[in-house]
Amino acid sequence: MTRRPYRRRRDVTVVSLLLLVLAMALGPTPSSAAGTDWWVPTARPAPDSEINVTGEPFTGTNAQGEVRGFVDAHNHLMSNEAFGGRLICGRTFSEAGIADALKDCPEHYPDGTLAIFDYITHGGDGKHDPVGWPTFKDWPAYDSMTHQANYYAWIERAWRGGQRVLVNDLVTNGMICSVYFFKDRGCDEMTSIRLQAKLTYDLQAYIDKMYGGTGKGWFRIVTDSAQAREVIKQGKLAVILGVETSEPFGCKQILDIAQCSKEDIDKGLDELYALGVRSMFLCHKFDNALCGVRFDEHGLGTAINVGQFLSTGTFWQTEKCTGPQHDNPIGTAASDAEDELPAGTEVPEYDEDAQCNVRGLTALGEYAVRGMMKRKMMLEIDHMSVKATGRVLDIFEAESYPGVLSSHSWMDLNWTERVYSLGGFVAQYMHGSEAFAAEAKRTDALREKYGVGYGYGTDFNGIGDHPAPRGANTANPVTYPFKSADGGSVIDRQTTGERTWNYNTDGAAHVGMIPDWIEDIRLVGGQGVVEDLFRGAESYLDTWGGTEQHQAGVNLAKGAAATASSAESNPFTSYAPGRAVDGDAGTRWASDWSDDQWLRIDLGSTHRVGRVTLDWERAYGKSYRVELSTDGVTWQTAWSTSSGDGGLDTARFTGTPARYVRVHGLERGTDWGYSLHEVGVHSG
């Protein structure tokens, strides 16, 4: 009698197991959300900010194998550590919790009276309620440039709303640090960059702990495009490190004398690459030993021009522009600040018709550009003078190098098609939805022509304004809750502590408001703009992947035999034809001072020729032809121009068999002759 119940229980157990196995075999496969929600941390600190997004983040790729999602191509997660550590108040995260992370700078208490940089950038008297957590009465706000806008949970909300790529630009400025009244550390730029890189990795580890260990969090620092694609395929956020600083590698210039060397540049690039940096600016705000900058204008231009003088010993210098591109006008900015300068300082006056920086890409700057190309890094051209940008684009076009970025509307917009034609990527600054949509519409045809998506550069913590509220009474306000762009999540008003933000009345107060801003763009600019933005991650990774895969072409002309119609005679320097093919950009061939001159290169044997690059000295050809021949007797014109303007020209044409290549000058661009530093001949 004691055994029968036992056998019955055993029979029931066996049957139950069989039914369970059958159910598992025949029933539907459970989704990833059927168990734990992988996107929800198991150990979030308490208290903490709310995310206010529900639904599983989208994963995988589309039918074409492309990633999806938005890209913030320009943000500064750790700039609170820059400028001496007290310019941006509050931190992105803290092991001690949100109350420690989101608190104001000490000098802002009790009422903001000493918030000097706040009223310099914000206007008014700078007074504000300094209390952050938990009340947030006055900050973060769309028009406050000195308070933390990148708290990690707000970044999480942006990710949950569809963002899949985030470029964290490590940023600082030694001069701003040195003149600012409050600081708690030194002003060396590279020291700050190293610290910000370390803290970005620390943030990754901090988030990983919430999800159970290394590699499990949604915040993933990536160092190549394949890693980024895999991270996005998993539905997580791919974070790329960039650098935006005024004196990279110590390359400042004082009275036009460079304070760095080629060795410093190589050492610096190697160090940054080892830190995981894959994109960078070579100049920012102040002219340096590498390049001239695109000016700021109005009152900010005044302040920065004074900073330029204090840092370099020279004010900005302008000249008339040679093309449609121009730098920002600065007017009489420096003279407005004459009283603040050392006695006897001669302040320049600026011609309104001269809006281009005389300083372009220096020889050291070109060395740095080519060093980045060797390391397959992407170059940010925003903040470069148009003269410097033009030279960079010439170099990239000569080498078919796609690694060029404009991440936050700081290049002249006339460069846009050249960037796209190289395979580069363009993002617009986080303007208000109306302005953003209008600019997106202006460049829509170009994106369609080149089959690319679009990005935004929020520049949070970058000392810039952000979209203001359009008002609760606007005809088409953001209505909460709303669906994310992919349709898989529901987004409600964002709450942190006692404060709940509403985009209609608060604007883009912090990075967590990105989904709300995108919804506002949809309402104002239409679904098409949002769809272009949703293709942004794929386009950014296309540019990055193309950069990684780039192979330097073989220069068939290097070391080849060269002859010419003439060579300028000089008792101290040789201008012989071979100087244009010796691989040394510091030497050159120069002709007599008359038209109808030529330089002929013998490749030694017949090759397929499809691209010729010409690096002109100041004496350039305005009208000239590139001619090809297999026997040196019969010539055919492969390419010609009558509007040459010097610099670095790239002649592209259908690949043609040739042993001899001739550059035939018809009309000079100056009173001198024709002079070429280097001629490159390539198969394609």
Side-chain angles (χ1 to χ4, degrees):
M1 292 183 64
T2 56
R3 293 177 181 174
R4 285 181 183 176
Y6 175 80
R7 284 197 297 269
R8 282 198 296 270
R9 287 196 298 272
R10 181 184 175 196
D11 293 339
V12 169
T13 303
V14 171
V15 170
S16 299
L17 286 172
L18 286 171
L19 290 172
L20 179 60
V21 170
L22 286 171
M24 292 176 64
L26 300 175
T29 302
S31 69
S32 61
T36 58
D37 294 340
W38 63 268
W39 59 95
V40 178
T42 57
R44 187 186 295 279
D48 205 354
S49 174
E50 298 178 24
I51 308 301
N52 306 105
V53 180
T54 57
E56 180 177 2
F58 59 88
T59 60
T61 57
N62 67 15
Q64 291 74 43
E66 299 170 331
V67 300
R68 300 166 292 160
F70 306 120
V71 51
D72 181 353
H74 192 103
N75 201 335
H76 303 291
L77 301 190
M78 302 298 172
S79 63
N80 57 288
E81 305 293 345
F83 316 111
R86 297 270 276 276
L87 200 69
I88 307 296
C89 306
R91 288 187 277 177
T92 308
F93 75 104
S94 170
E95 294 284 354
I98 189 170
D100 183 62
L102 296 181
K103 61 183 180 183
D104 215 335
C105 292
E107 56 274 9
H108 287 202
Y109 292 87
D111 62 358
T113 299
L114 292 180
I116 297 171
F117 196 73
D118 201 57
Y119 67 71
I120 289 174
T121 57
H122 190 185
D125 57 10
K127 289 187 177 182
H128 63 276
D129 181 356
V131 177
W133 174 268
T135 55
F136 300 106
K137 179 182 176 183
D138 288 337
W139 66 271
Y142 75 92
D143 56 352
S144 173
M145 304 182 194
T146 61
H147 293 98
Q148 181 59 246
N150 277 319
Y151 184 60
Y152 92 90
W154 299 336
I155 302 170
E156 182 177 349
R157 177 179 162 90
W159 160 63
R160 292 285 299 277
Q163 186 169 298
R164 291 296 178 269
V165 172
L166 170 63
V167 180
N168 177 28
D169 282 318
L170 316 174
V171 64
T172 192
N173 182 292
M175 177 52 61
I176 292 176
C177 171
S178 66
V179 301
Y180 190 53
F181 302 95
F182 305 105
K183 60 181 72 71
D184 55 24
R185 69 208 51 196
C187 296
D188 179 72
E189 292 192 354
M190 291 303 292
T191 298
S192 180
I193 295 303
R194 295 181 191 107
L195 174 61
Q196 292 177 53
K198 175 187 179 298
L199 288 172
T200 308
Y201 285 98
D202 289 348
L203 173 58
Q204 177 176 258
Y206 178 76
I207 294 172
D208 278 353
K209 282 195 299 184
M210 299 183 201
Y211 287 81
T214 303
K216 294 187 177 181
W218 52 268
F219 185 96
R220 312 302 327 145
I221 299 171
V222 295
T223 55
D224 62 55
S225 63
Q227 285 181 353
R229 287 186 178 280
E230 184 57 32
V231 163
I232 298 171
K233 187 176 181 180
Q234 295 170 13
K236 299 182 180 183
L237 180 68
V239 180
I240 299 115
L241 297 184
V243 166
E244 182 183 37
T245 187
S246 295
E247 299 166 4
F249 332 124
C251 282
K252 71 181 300 178
Q253 55 98 5
I254 299 176
L255 298 176
D256 292 320
I257 299 173
Q259 305 298 300
C260 68
S261 65
K262 291 180 178 179
E263 290 74 19
D264 294 324
I265 292 170
D266 282 327
K267 181 180 177 181
L269 285 173
D270 286 342
E271 179 184 9
L272 291 178
Y273 194 90
L275 288 173
V277 172
R278 295 297 180 267
S279 69
M280 70 176 297
F281 295 75
L282 289 182
C283 50
H284 177 241
K285 298 304 181 184
F286 302 152
D287 294 344
N288 62 23
L290 306 177
C291 48
V293 294
R294 191 164 192 240
F295 311 131
D296 283 85
E297 53 187 320
H298 308 309
L300 184 58
T302 300
I304 294 177
N305 200 6
V306 170
Q308 153 98 9
F309 175 79
L310 295 174
S311 176
T312 69
T314 58
F315 289 105
W316 287 326
Q317 299 177 56
T318 63
E319 63 184 6
K320 288 189 176 182
C321 305
T322 58
Q325 296 83 11
H326 61 83
D327 296 317
N328 292 317
I330 54 177
T332 58
S335 62
D336 296 338
E338 189 169 5
D339 293 341
E340 306 298 324
L341 297 170
T345 301
E346 186 175 346
V347 177
E349 294 184 2
Y350 295 102
D351 185 345
E352 291 183 1
D353 294 330
Q355 293 187 3
C356 280
N357 193 337
V358 301
R359 195 173 185 85
L361 190 69
T362 68
L364 279 175
E366 185 159 334
Y367 184 83
V369 169
R370 296 189 183 279
M372 291 180 68
M373 294 169 69
K374 289 177 182 178
R375 293 163 177 83
K376 309 298 177 69
M377 297 173 72
M378 294 177 287
L379 175 65
E380 293 265 13
I381 57 174
D382 285 3
H383 291 296
M384 273 187 172
S385 67
V386 295
K387 196 171 185 177
T389 302
R391 179 66 179 181
V392 165
L393 294 177
D394 286 345
I395 292 170
F396 282 7
E397 286 167 348
E399 301 291 342
S400 299
Y401 190 79
V404 57
L405 305 170
S406 173
S407 61
H408 66 329
S409 300
W410 256 92
M411 71 167 182
D412 187 293
L413 296 176
N414 289 298
W415 296 123
T416 304
E417 183 158 17
R418 286 187 74 181
V419 172
Y420 281 147
S421 66
L422 277 165
F425 181 79
V426 174
Q428 186 188 159
Y429 186 81
M430 190 185 186
H431 295 118
S433 55
E434 291 160 317
F436 190 94
E439 171 58 18
K441 183 177 181 180
R442 189 191 70 83
T443 53
D444 182 66
L446 281 177
R447 289 194 299 280
E448 178 140 349
K449 176 180 178 180
Y450 291 97
V452 295
Y454 204 31
Y456 50 81
T458 62
D459 205 17
F460 277 115
N461 291 0
I463 315 176
D465 278 338
H466 289 90
R470 290 197 295 124
N473 296 322
T474 186
N476 52 348
V478 173
T479 302
Y480 294 93
F482 60 88
K483 283 193 173 182
S484 59
D486 65 286
S489 297
V490 176
I491 300 168
D492 210 338
R493 293 176 181 85
Q494 200 281 313
T495 296
T496 304
E498 299 171 13
R499 177 74 185 272
T500 296
W501 281 271
N502 181 327
Y503 186 84
N504 301 305
T505 54
D506 295 313
H510 56 70
V511 72
M513 303 299 287
I514 286 176
D516 314 57
W517 171 68
I518 289 173
E519 173 67 2
D520 201 47
I521 288 174
R522 185 187 70 82
L523 295 168
V524 170
Q527 183 64 29
V529 180
V530 177
E531 288 174 357
D532 276 4
L533 288 170
F534 203 62
R535 296 173 58 205
E538 175 63 28
S539 286
Y540 185 95
L541 297 185
D542 277 347
T543 294
W544 192 5
T547 303
E548 293 168 327
Q549 295 163 19
H550 178 264
Q551 296 294 325
V554 175
N555 181 6
L556 302 171
K558 186 175 181 180
T563 55
S565 55
S566 64
E568 182 181 336
S569 177
N570 187 299
F572 304 104
T573 304
S574 171
Y575 296 125
R579 293 298 184 117
V581 290
D582 62 1
D584 183 353
T587 63
R588 60 188 174 97
W589 162 70
S591 76
D592 288 343
W593 294 13
S594 62
D595 285 325
D596 198 20
Q597 302 286 341
W598 51 263
L599 173 74
R600 187 177 77 168
I601 302 166
D602 181 356
L603 303 179
S605 60
T606 299
H607 296 267
R608 178 183 179 275
V609 176
R611 176 166 54 98
V612 174
T613 59
L614 304 102
D615 191 359
W616 294 99
E617 195 253 355
R618 286 179 297 170
Y620 65 91
K622 180 179 179 182
S623 178
Y624 66 93
R625 299 192 296 252
V626 173
E627 302 168 335
L628 305 178
S629 175
T630 55
D631 58 9
V633 177
T634 303
W635 297 89
Q636 66 178 98
T637 299
W639 185 90
S640 65
T641 184
S642 59
S643 57
D645 58 359
L648 180 58
D649 289 346
T650 300
R652 296 180 187 275
F653 42 86
T654 302
T656 304
R659 171 173 173 170
Y660 302 92
V661 177
R662 186 166 69 184
V663 181
H664 194 156
L666 306 175
E667 181 184 352
R668 291 165 292 152
T670 68
D671 291 335
W672 303 311
Y674 299 87
S675 184
L676 285 160
H677 284 293
E678 283 294 309
V679 176
V681 178
H682 305 269
S683 292

